[in-house]
C-alpha cells in the first residue's frame, strides 16, 4: 500500500498541486483570491482551467462538473466531457477559464421557491475558488455557488460564504478595538460528527418504506433493543470494519480528514468524525462524506441510512456541529486559557455568543427543522426542541461573579456554590460534559447538537455566523466610544448576563421538568418544523439578514416556502408508501394467516370434534378485528390525502399534513405493528426490526 501521506488528498487540486503545476505569478494571484476572498481575474482563470484539466486527465478524469448544493437534496451536478471536436474530425481535450468560472445548468428543475419562474430557467453556477476541486470516479468536480439570473442565491453555499464574510468583518473590528492590531482575518471552523446506520442491502430491498422514505413506516419493537448499551464503542464487526476502511481511504484521497470512527448507541449505528476545518470546506467535506457513505455501502452489499429516525424506538441519527472562531494569527477565540476569569477577550466573545443564541433561538431552531428531524427534536430523545446553552460549572460561576459585581475568589465561590443552580437535584447533570444540551461549550468550541443526520450544515452555520456577527457589531459600537476598554468589556459581559442568562442551563435537558422551567423562563419551544419555519421571515430576522447582506427578504421567503413544501412532500410520500404497503402486503398477509388458522381448526375438528380449537379461533378473531380497523384507518388516510389538496397555501398545507395526516399514519402504524406481533413469521411480508438491526 502506498504511504498514507501520498494517498491523502491525491485526488484534490489542492495547494500543493497548484504550487507545483501553476506558473508562479498565476499561483500567487490565485492564492490571494483564496486567502482574501478577492474576485477572480478572468485572465488567470484560463491558465488555472487548463492546468486543472491536465491534472484531472492525468488522474483518469474525462468529464467535469460544477458541483453545487441546491436548496434541497444533497448535492447536484451535471457532467460535461472535456472533449471538443476539431476541424479535421478529431477531438481535443479542452477546458476554458470561462467553463471553469461559470456554468449554466438548466436550473428549472431545482427548487427556487419563486425566486426564478420556470420560463426564466437560467441559473448560474459560479466557481468557489476557496474550496478545492476534486476528482470523483472519472469526473473533475468543481465546487460552485448557484444563483439566479437576477443574482439571488439558489443554493446553500452562497449565504454561508456571505455569513463567513459578515462574522469576519465584525470580529476583526472588535479585535482591533481590543488592541489586536495584527488581526486582519477571522475564520469560523467546523467539525461535523456524522451518525449513520448500516443495514444489509438484501433486507433493505424487501422494504418499500426504506427504499422510498429511508425510514421504516412499520415495525414492531424487537425483543432486544439498545437497552444493554452493548453497541456503543463496542468492537466493530468485520464487515463494517471493511466498509469503514474503504470509506476512510476514499475520503482521505479527497482530502477529507476523517479521523474517528466508532459504534453508536443503537445497534447498527455508527459515527464518523473529521478533523475540523474552515466552515465552507467543512460543509463541502460533510456533503462528500454523506455521498461516499452511501456509494461505498453499496459496494459492500450494505445500505447506509442517513435518515434522522430510520427505526422507531431506537435512537435516531444526528450530526454534531462543532464550531469555533480563529484569527489569522492562530488564536482560537473560544479557548478560555488557564484563567478564563482573566481572559477578557474570551469572555467578551463568549458573551456575544450567549446574546446571539438567546436573541435568536427561533433561527437556530429553524436551521435544523425538517420532517425527519421532528422525530428526534421534541420526541423522547436527544436533544429537545428547546434551545439552551451549557457552559459548565466554572464558566457559569465566572459569569455570575461579573453579573453581580463580585470578585472571583475562593471565598465568594464557596458561598456561591449553593445558589449557582437553584435546581432540584434530579435536573442536575452529573458530568461536566452534559450530553443532553443542544448547544454545549466543550472546552474550546461550541457543539450545536440539534442537527439531523441529513442536514446540510451550511444553513445552521450561516445562521450561527450571522447571529454572532450581529452581537459583535453591537459590542463594537460600545467599544468604539469607550474610554476604558477593560471597564466596557466588563459592562458588556455584565449586561449580557443580566439580560440573557435565562438561556444558560447546565441541567438535564431530557427531564420533563425542564420543559416547564424553560417555559417559565420564557424560552421558545417550537415542537415541530411546521411551527418553527414560518418565523424565518419574521421582521426581526429579515432585518438581521439584510443588515449583514446574507439573505434578502425574497431569499428568506423562498427558503421558508421550499422547506415547508419539502415537509408536505415528505409526509405525502410516506403516507402513500404506507397505504401501498398496508393494502398490498399487510392485509393480505393477515388474511393468509387467518386462512391457514381456519383450515387448521377445520382439519382438527374433522379429526375429532371435541378437540380444542380455541387458539385458532381467538387468533382469527383478533386478527380479523385488527385487520378491519386497519382498513378503516387506511380509508381515512386516503381521504385526508385528498383533503390536503384543498390547502393550496404552503404553510396551511404543511400544517394540515402535520395535524391531520401524521396522526392517521401513527394510528395505522400502531395497528399494523400489533398485527406483526401475532401473525406468523413466515406470513409477515417484510424483514423485522430484529432482522434489520442485528443481521450484520
Ligand atoms: P468529542 O469527541 O469529545 O465530541 P473531539 O475533540 O473529538 O470531541 O472533537 C469533536 C469534533 O470537534 C471533531 O470533529 C473536532 O475536529 C472538532 N473540533 C475540535 N476543535 C475544534 C475547533 N476549534 N473548531 C471546530 N471544531 C473543532
Ligand atoms: Mg460530540
Amino acid at each position: 500500500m502506498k504511504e498514507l501521506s501520498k494517498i491523502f488528498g491525491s485526488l484534490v487540486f489542492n495547494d500543493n498541486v497548484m504550487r507545483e503545476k501553476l506558473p508562479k505569478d498565476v499561483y500567487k494571484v490565485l492564492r490571494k483570491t483564496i486567502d482574501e476572498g478577492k474576485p477572480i481575474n478572468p485572465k488567470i482563470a484560463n491558465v488555472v482551467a487548463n492546468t486543472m484539466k491536465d491534472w484531472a486527465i492525468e488522474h483518469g478524469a474525462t468529464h467535469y462538473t460544477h458541483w453545487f448544493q441546491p436548496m434541497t437534496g444533497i448535492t447536484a451536478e451535471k457532467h460535461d466531457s472535456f472533449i471538443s471536436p476539431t476541424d479535421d474530425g478529431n477531438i481535443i481535450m479542452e477546458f476554458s477559464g470561462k467553463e471553469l468560472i461559470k456554468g449554466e445548468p438548466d436550473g428549472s428543475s431545482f427548487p427556487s421557491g419563486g425566486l426564478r419562474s420556470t420560463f426564466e430557467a437560467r441559473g448560474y453556477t459560479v466557481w468557489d475558488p476557496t474550496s478545492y476541486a476534486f476528482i470523483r470516479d472519472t469526473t473533475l468536480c468543481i465546487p460552485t455557488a448557484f444563483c439566479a439570473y437576477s443574482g439571488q442565491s439558489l443554493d446553500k453555499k452562497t449565504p454561508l460564504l456571505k455569513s463567513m464574510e459578515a462574522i469576519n468583518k465584525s470580529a476583526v473590528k472588535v479585535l482591533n478595538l481590543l488592541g489586536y492590531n495584527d488581526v486582519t482575518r477571522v475564520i469560523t471552523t467546523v467539525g461535523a460528527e456524522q451518525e449513520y446506520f448500516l443495514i444489509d442491502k438484501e433486507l433493505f430491498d424487501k422494504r418499500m418504506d426504506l427504499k422510498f422514505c429511508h425510514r421504516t413506516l412499520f415495525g414492531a419493537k424487537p425483543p432486544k433493543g439498545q437497552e444493554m448499551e452493548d453497541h456503543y464503542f463496542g468492537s466493530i464487526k468485520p464487515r463494517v470494519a471493511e466498509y469503514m476502511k474503504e470509506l476512510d481511504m476514499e475520503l482521505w484521497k479527497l482530502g477529507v480528514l476523517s479521523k474517528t470512527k466508532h459504534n453508536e448507541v443503537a445497534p447498527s449505528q455508527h459515527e464518523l468524525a473529521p478533523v475540523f476545518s474552515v466552515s465552507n470546506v467543512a460543509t463541502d467535506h460533510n456533503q462528500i462524506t454523506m455521498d461516499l457513505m452511501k456509494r461505498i455501502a453499496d459496494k459492500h452489499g450494505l445500505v447506509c441510512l442517513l435518515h434522522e429516525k430510520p427505526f422507531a424506538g431506537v435512537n435516531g441519527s444526528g450530526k454534531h456541529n462543532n464550531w469555533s472562531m480563529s484569527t489569522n494569527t492562530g488564536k482560537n477565540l473560544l479557548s478560555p486559557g488557564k484563567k478564563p476569569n482573566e481572559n477578557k477577550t474570551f469572555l467578551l466573545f463568549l458573551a456575544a455568543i450567549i446574546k446571539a443564541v438567546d436573541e435568536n433561538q427561533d433561527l437556530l431552531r429553524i436551521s435544523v427543522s425538517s420532517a425527519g428531524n421532528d422525530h428526534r427534536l421534541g420526541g423522547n430523545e436527544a436533544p429537545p426542541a428547546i434551545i439552551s446553552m451549557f457552559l459548565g460549572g466554572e464558566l457559569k460561576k465566572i459569569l455570575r461573579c461579573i453579573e453581580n459585581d463580585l470578585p472571583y475568589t475562593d471565598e465568594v465561590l464557596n458561598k456561591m456554590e449553593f445558589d449557582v443552580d437553584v435546581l432540584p437535584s434530579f435536573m442536575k447533570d452529573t458530568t461536566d460534559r452534559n450530553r443532553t444540551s443542544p448547544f454545549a461549550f466543550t472546552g474550546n468550541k461550541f457543539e450545536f447538537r440539534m442537527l439531523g443526520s441529513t442536514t446540510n450544515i451550511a444553513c445552521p452555520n450561516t445562521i450561527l455566523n450571522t447571529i454572532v456577527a450581529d452581537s459583535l457589531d453591537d459590542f463594537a459600537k460600545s467599544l468604539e466610544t469607550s474610554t476604558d476598554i477593560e471597564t466596557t468589556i466588563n459592562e458588556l459581559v455584565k449586561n449580557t448576563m443580566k439580560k440573557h442568562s435565562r438561556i444558560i442551563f447546565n441541567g438535564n435537558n431530557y427531564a420533563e421538568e425542564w420543559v416547564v422551567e424553560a417555559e417559565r423562563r420564557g424560552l421558545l419551544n417550537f415542537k415541530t418544523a411546521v411551527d418553527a419555519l414560518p418565523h424565518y421571515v419574521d421582521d426581526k430576522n429579515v432585518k438581521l439578514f439584510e443588515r449583514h447582506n446574507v439573505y434578502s427578504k425574497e431569499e428568506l421567503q423562498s427558503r421558508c416556502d421550499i422547506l415547508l413544501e419539502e415537509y408536505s412532500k415528505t409526509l405525502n410520500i410516506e403516507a402513500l408508501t404506507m397505504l401501498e404497503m398496508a393494502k398490498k402486503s399487510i392485509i393480505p398477509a393477515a388474511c393468509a394467516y387467518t386462512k391457514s388458522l381456519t383450515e387448521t381448526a377445520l382439519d382438527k375438528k374433522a379429526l375429532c370434534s371435541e378437540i380444542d380449537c380455541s387458539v385458532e379461533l381467538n387468533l382469527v378473531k383478533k386478527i380479523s378485528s385488527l385487520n378491519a380497523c386497519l382498513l378503516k384507518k387506511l380509508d381515512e388516510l386516503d381521504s385526508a390525502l385528498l383533503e390536503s389538496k384543498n390547502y393550496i397555501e404552503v404553510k396551511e398545507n404543511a400544517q394540515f399534513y402535520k395535524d391531520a395526516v401524521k396522526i392517521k399514519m401513527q394510528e395505522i402504524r400502531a395497528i399494523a405493528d400489533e398485527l406483526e406481533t401475532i401473525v406468523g413469521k413466515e406470513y409477515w411480508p417484510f424483514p423485522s426490526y430484529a432482522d434489520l438491526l442485528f443481521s450484520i
Side-chain angles (χ1 to χ4, degrees):
M1 188 169 67
K2 266 204 281 185
E3 258 179 80
L4 259 190
S5 63
K6 284 203 182 115
I7 288 171
F8 187 81
S10 60
L11 295 178
V12 185
F13 192 72
N14 58 18
D15 193 61
N16 287 341
V17 182
M18 290 188 218
R19 199 188 330 221
E20 187 195 316
K21 308 250 171 191
L22 288 171
K24 250 204 184 86
D25 49 332
V26 173
Y27 170 75
K28 263 196 195 148
V29 179
L30 183 62
R31 200 61 248 175
K32 221 174 154 68
T33 306
I34 295 171
D35 293 339
E36 296 170 19
K38 295 261 155 65
I40 188 90
N41 169 352
K43 265 192 231 143
I44 74 150
N46 265 327
V47 184
V48 178
N50 203 41
T51 312
M52 214 187 249
K53 176 208 68 189
D54 288 344
W55 168 83
I57 290 172
E58 244 173 66
H59 288 81
T62 51
H63 287 65
Y64 70 92
T65 182
H66 276 197
W67 185 79
F68 60 102
Q69 299 168 28
M71 292 190 276
T72 57
I74 290 198
T75 53
E77 47 201 71
K78 167 179 160 243
H79 298 213
D80 282 305
S81 77
F82 290 122
I83 289 175
S84 255
T86 57
D87 291 339
D88 56 7
N90 287 319
I91 53 152
I92 50 166
M93 303 293 258
E94 247 183 4
F95 186 48
S96 69
K98 231 172 86 195
E99 287 167 309
L100 166 64
I101 292 183
K102 193 161 127 185
E104 261 187 76
D106 174 15
S108 54
S109 48
F110 292 106
S112 77
L115 282 182
R116 181 207 47 210
S117 43
T118 23
F119 60 84
E120 181 42 283
R122 260 188 302 179
Y124 294 104
T125 48
V126 188
W127 178 33
D128 167 18
T130 62
S131 179
Y132 298 134
F134 57 92
I135 296 171
R136 213 189 39 209
D137 298 332
T138 54
T139 302
L140 169 68
C141 299
I142 301 157
T144 56
F146 183 39
C147 57
Y149 188 60
S150 53
Q152 274 148 332
S153 60
L154 295 172
D155 66 348
K156 299 188 177 178
K157 183 77 170 283
T158 313
L160 174 66
L161 293 171
K162 288 179 173 174
S163 75
M164 289 166 68
E165 208 34 58
I167 196 169
N168 166 49
K169 251 171 51 195
S170 313
V172 169
K173 188 161 50 178
V174 165
L175 287 166
N176 290 165
L177 285 164
L178 296 185
Y180 297 93
N181 295 318
D182 49 347
V183 173
T184 54
R185 193 153 182 91
V186 168
I187 54 158
T188 44
T189 49
V190 171
E193 302 167 68
Q194 178 74 46
E195 289 181 344
Y196 61 100
F197 278 88
L198 280 181
I199 60 165
D200 191 275
K201 184 156 187 340
E202 258 179 52
L203 299 175
F204 169 90
D205 283 336
K206 292 185 181 143
R207 295 205 53 136
M208 192 187 248
D209 47 4
L210 284 176
K211 275 200 210 162
F212 291 158
C213 314
H214 315 288
R215 77 174 182 102
T216 52
L217 301 170
F218 299 104
K221 280 202 177 60
K224 178 177 186 247
Q226 62 195 52
E227 55 279 86
M228 307 292 283
E229 300 197 337
D230 49 0
H231 187 68
Y232 193 49
F233 281 77
S235 72
I236 298 172
K237 303 240 171 65
R239 198 164 157 208
V240 173
E242 277 304 305
Y243 164 82
M244 288 178 167
K245 204 164 116 193
E246 185 173 349
L247 178 61
D248 271 346
M249 196 55 80
E250 293 307 311
L251 286 170
W252 289 335
K253 284 185 198 163
L254 293 177
V256 178
L257 287 152
S258 165
K259 183 149 166 89
T260 339
K261 49 187 178 187
H262 60 77
N263 289 348
E264 261 303 324
V265 181
S268 288
Q269 193 184 29
H270 313 279
E271 183 188 285
L272 181 149
V275 176
F276 66 94
S277 49
V278 185
S279 303
N280 63 322
V281 174
T283 302
D284 287 357
H285 283 182
N286 183 247
Q287 295 294 111
I288 293 174
T289 302
M290 290 194 285
D291 186 42
L292 280 181
M293 278 179 165
K294 291 193 199 163
R295 286 163 185 254
I296 291 170
D298 197 53
K299 286 168 73 180
H300 291 254
L302 298 167
V303 174
C304 169
L305 298 175
L306 289 173
H307 192 282
E308 281 78 10
K309 193 76 179 173
F311 307 99
V314 174
N315 262 15
S317 299
K319 182 143 56 190
H320 290 176
N321 191 83
N322 295 272
W323 178 92
S324 188
M325 311 162 74
S326 51
T327 66
N328 60 307
T329 54
K331 182 180 172 67
N332 177 352
L333 292 165
L334 295 187
S335 185
K338 290 219 171 64
K339 291 186 174 158
N341 55 315
E342 290 169 16
N343 189 343
K344 299 291 173 195
T345 309
F346 167 73
L347 291 174
L348 187 68
F349 276 84
L350 182 63
I353 299 169
I354 293 172
K355 172 173 149 67
V357 172
D358 187 39
E359 285 177 352
N360 299 285
Q361 300 161 44
D362 53 347
L363 284 173
L364 288 171
R365 174 67 182 87
I366 285 167
S367 79
V368 296
S369 289
S370 69
N373 218 14
D374 272 3
H375 296 286
R376 302 173 60 237
L377 310 177
N380 341 324
E381 79 174 271
I386 304 164
I387 311 266
S388 67
M389 295 171 87
F390 168 81
L391 296 181
E394 190 185 5
L395 285 184
K396 192 164 167 178
K397 282 181 212 161
I398 293 171
L399 293 171
R400 278 288 167 99
C401 284
I402 300 177
E403 182 184 354
N404 297 302
D405 288 322
L406 295 168
Y408 188 72
T409 59
D410 285 345
E411 199 194 335
V412 171
L413 290 177
N414 289 340
K415 252 205 313 213
M416 242 178 62
E417 198 72 69
F418 302 100
D419 79 337
V420 163
D421 269 308
V422 268
L423 292 171
S425 57
F426 57 81
M427 280 175 84
K428 285 215 175 119
D429 189 79
T430 44
T431 72
D432 205 41
R433 283 192 53 94
N434 195 325
R435 298 202 169 272
T436 69
S437 174
F439 201 93
F441 184 73
T442 45
N444 58 2
K445 60 189 188 308
F446 270 100
E447 190 167 338
F448 185 23
R449 298 177 175 143
M450 288 171 91
L451 286 74
S453 42
T454 50
T455 310
N456 180 323
I457 65 170
C459 178
N461 284 294
T462 300
I463 285 173
L464 205 44
N465 295 344
T466 312
I467 63 176
V468 176
D470 203 60
S471 290
L472 289 171
D473 273 1
D474 237 36
F475 287 1
K477 278 184 210 135
S478 306
L479 292 166
E480 266 159 1
T481 54
S482 155
T483 47
D484 176 0
I485 291 287
E486 188 101 350
T487 313
T488 309
I489 294 179
N490 235 38
E491 282 302 303
L492 286 170
V493 175
K494 182 174 154 183
N495 291 338
T496 303
M497 283 304 287
K498 284 212 179 304
K499 242 173 119 176
H500 301 293
S501 59
R502 63 171 184 171
I503 197 74
I504 299 166
F505 178 57
N506 281 357
N508 176 7
N509 286 257
Y510 301 169
E512 273 167 42
E513 291 80 357
W514 169 232
V515 179
V516 180
E517 163 70 8
E519 193 179 342
R520 194 193 59 74
R521 294 187 187 189
L523 299 180
L524 288 179
N525 184 1
F526 292 132
K527 295 205 176 67
T528 73
V530 181
D531 300 313
L533 285 168
H535 295 282
Y536 232 150
V537 286
D538 283 357
D539 208 36
K540 157 185 97 78
N541 297 334
V542 172
K543 287 202 175 107
L544 168 81
F545 287 117
E546 290 194 335
R547 210 161 39 239
H548 296 278
N549 186 32
V550 172
Y551 293 116
S552 66
K553 184 170 184 189
E554 293 73 32
E555 285 171 337
L556 276 179
Q557 185 70 57
S558 77
R559 275 148 185 91
C560 174
D561 289 352
I562 286 173
L563 290 167
L564 284 168
E565 232 172 73
E566 192 180 54
Y567 180 93
S568 299
K569 282 182 188 162
T570 304
L571 263 75
N572 187 50
I573 294 172
E574 289 183 350
L576 290 173
T577 307
M578 212 170 199
L579 285 169
E580 175 93 9
M581 287 172 80
K583 285 184 188 168
K584 301 256 171 76
S585 304
I586 296 178
I587 290 183
C591 289
Y593 186 51
T594 45
K595 180 164 182 253
S596 110
L597 288 168
T598 312
E599 281 169 5
T600 311
L602 287 174
D603 286 354
K604 277 162 78 176
K605 283 277 177 216
L607 198 66
C608 158
S609 62
E610 250 103 85
I611 209 160
D612 182 353
C613 293
S614 61
V615 169
E616 289 82 357
L617 190 65
N618 284 333
L619 280 172
V620 168
K621 270 195 205 157
K622 201 162 177 190
I623 293 171
S624 302
S625 110
L626 282 170
N627 235 3
C629 275
L630 182 58
L631 189 64
K632 182 166 161 274
K633 291 288 169 198
L634 290 171
D635 286 341
E636 288 171 15
L637 180 59
D638 253 331
S639 310
L641 290 183
L642 267 181
E643 197 188 335
S644 74
K645 300 202 170 30
N646 299 338
Y647 299 88
I648 314 255
E649 207 266 314
V650 276
K651 189 170 135 191
E652 282 178 356
N653 194 264
Q655 199 99 39
F656 181 81
Y657 271 96
K658 170 180 83 93
D659 294 332
V661 176
K662 205 169 170 180
I663 294 194
K664 287 282 157 251
M665 290 173 62
Q666 282 160 356
E667 289 170 355
I668 289 171
R669 175 172 188 152
I671 302 169
D673 287 359
E674 197 180 339
L675 272 171
E676 186 182 344
T677 62
I678 345 179
V679 172
K681 181 149 178 76
E682 68 271 33
Y683 289 85
W684 198 250
F686 325 113
S688 68
Y689 267 28
D691 299 333
L692 291 167
L693 288 167
F694 295 95
S695 65
I696 298 173

